[in-house]
């Protein structure tokens, strides 16, 4: 298995986890991952919003040959918006959108020709952007939050 396929496999593990969490009761979704921290719902929505952002501003643009508009954002403001957005969605809608957002990223990355996949792009701030590194960063990010979500499962 090549590096791209290996990364895609790891990157898609999030989908299975969200499906597992999706069958759990509302109490789990509304419980904080730790004392005074975000709820499970907030964490899942946060990842979904980042997936949508990176799809729209980077991955979709790479697939169509357009300039990347992804840029370094104020993470706190972005995450706060995601937390507020989480309150507007039912758990079912959040699960569906989260899965759809990640599947869209995976399908688009899978379909990229090797040259586009391996190219180094400039993001909206002029910094280098590479698809493989993007996936590595978000696999780490997923795993960081999955540890918290699993912990909340033990506590709950």
């Amino acid at each position: 298995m090549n590096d791209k396929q290996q990364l895609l496999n790891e990157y898609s593990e999030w989908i299975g986890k969200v499906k597992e969490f999706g069958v759990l009761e509302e109490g789990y979704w509304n419980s904080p991952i730790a004392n005074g921290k975000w709820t499970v719902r907030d964490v899942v929505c946060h990842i979904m919003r980042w997936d949508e952002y990176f799809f729209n501003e980077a991955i979709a643009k790479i697939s169509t040959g357009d300039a990347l508009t992804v840029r370094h954002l104020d993470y706190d403001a972005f995450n706060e918006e995601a937390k507020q957005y989480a309150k507007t969605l039912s758990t079912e809608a959040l699960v569906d959108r989260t899965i759809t957002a990640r599947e869209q990223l995976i399908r688009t990355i899978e379909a990229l020709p090797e040259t586009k996949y391996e190219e180094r792009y400039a993001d909206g701030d002029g910094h280098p952007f590479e698809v493989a590194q993007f996936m590595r960063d978000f696999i780490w990010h997923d795993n960081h939050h999955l540890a918290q979500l699993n912990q909340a499962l033990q506590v709950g």
Side-chain angles (χ1 to χ4, degrees), residues 68-83:
L68 276 62
T69 51
V70 64
R71 49 183 13 134
H72 186 83
L73 298 176
D74 177 337
Y75 296 141
D76 292 336
F78 187 93
N79 293 337
E80 188 53 41
E81 183 278 329
K83 211 172 123 178

Side-chain angles (χ1 to χ4, degrees), residues 37-60:
K37 298 284 186 189
W38 287 11
T39 65
V40 169
R41 168 185 309 285
D42 296 338
V43 171
V44 172
C45 190
H46 149 86
I47 292 175
M48 183 262 293
R49 296 298 277 176
W50 279 113
D51 279 0
E52 290 178 342
Y53 176 74
F54 274 95
F55 177 78
N56 291 326
E57 308 299 327
I59 304 303

Side-chain angles (χ1 to χ4, degrees), residues 11-22 99 102 146:
Y11 192 52
S12 40
E13 285 173 13
W14 173 241
I15 295 169
K17 293 296 181 185
V18 172
K19 286 179 180 172
E20 286 173 31
F21 297 139
I99 291 167
R102 184 60 60 98
L146 275 169

Side-chain angles (χ1 to χ4, degrees), residues 3-11 117 132 135-136 139:
D3 183 54
K4 178 181 178 182
Q5 197 53 56
Q6 177 66 42
L7 283 173
L8 282 163
N9 289 351
E10 288 180 47
Y11 192 52
Y117 174 76
M135 282 196 292
R136 279 189 204 97
I139 290 164

